[in-house]
Amino acid sequence: MNWTDQAWEAILPIYQEILKMPFIEELKNGTLPLEKFQFYMLQDAKYLEHYGRALAALGSKAADNEMALDFFEFGKNALIVERALHEAYFKQFNLEPNQEITIEPVCHHYIHFLKSTVAYDPIEVATAAILPCFWIYKEVGDHIYQNQNTENNPYKNWIETYSGEEFAEGVKKALQYSNDMAENSTEKGRKAMLEAFIAASRLEFKFWDAAYRNITW
């Protein structure tokens, strides 16, 4: 069993809880109240801005040029999506594109967890920490896309942005890099990778939960 198989097995209960969350269920069915989705959109825009920077910083630590280029590309794509949120979906969901956004507690904790891990931990641990945003988002996105109410779901266009092959290809690369690093790490290193992966997975749950429960400072 490779490292990513073990990692997914470890967070399977978290993933299953995510699928059952009111936010995910109501988003899938098109019944999520607009104000909850607006909260999510605003926080996601700030998260992606910082996530993109964390990915670029991780790329700068890579000894392998191909990995460096891939993570620079991942970071660029995150920032492109952040810009697309402002230019298209903010308007669609009645948000002001140029409004000042307060980073609320869960988003604040998540982005600083990622940035501090990239800055201070070994590269394999940092790679494990950024992985849930790729992997869990892909799995949850596929679940929503395949089971959504397509008749009158107001979030249909947004849902479809996360069903592309380009995003799936990025997930595959991130998984392969994680397995390669785990294979070349120590038992202690693999344990630290798993701890970072689990922590970030919990924060994925908390991010959606915060939007549903309007968790602010």
Side-chain angles (χ1 to χ4, degrees), residues 27-137:
L27 178 64
K28 174 170 62 74
N29 296 330
T31 59
L32 183 69
L34 179 60
E35 66 272 14
K36 296 183 186 299
F37 191 73
Q38 288 172 327
F39 184 108
Y40 167 78
M41 288 281 289
L42 291 170
Q43 295 306 295
D44 196 41
K46 296 306 293 184
Y47 172 83
L48 286 170
E49 175 187 334
H50 290 273
Y51 186 59
R53 295 174 187 277
L55 289 168
L58 182 53
S60 72
K61 296 178 71 172
D64 178 83
N65 286 339
E66 184 175 354
M67 179 181 175
L69 289 171
D70 280 336
F71 276 87
F72 291 152
E73 187 69 16
F74 296 157
K76 173 186 170 184
N77 289 341
L79 293 173
I80 288 173
V81 171
E82 187 273 334
R83 184 170 62 188
L85 288 177
H86 280 84
E87 292 179 351
Y89 295 114
F90 269 41
K91 183 178 181 180
Q92 180 180 344
F93 297 111
N94 302 321
L95 293 168
E96 174 56 50
N98 297 317
Q99 73 183 88
E100 185 174 343
I101 302 172
T102 299
I103 302 176
E104 301 295 356
V106 172
C107 181
H108 185 278
H109 181 67
Y110 197 178
I111 61 180
H112 282 81
F113 165 73
L114 293 178
K115 291 166 82 173
S116 63
T117 303
V118 170
Y120 297 112
D121 286 292
I123 189 169
E124 65 269 22
V125 178
T127 302
I130 63 89
L131 186 58
C133 187
F134 273 102
W135 196 4
I136 292 178
Y137 223 99

Side-chain angles (χ1 to χ4, degrees), residues 24 34 39 45 68 123 127 142 161 169 172 178 185 208 212 214:
I24 300 301
L34 179 60
F39 184 108
I123 189 169
T127 302
D142 285 349
T161 64
E169 188 59 33
K172 289 179 184 177
S178 297
S185 186
W208 282 306
Y212 197 80
N214 192 40

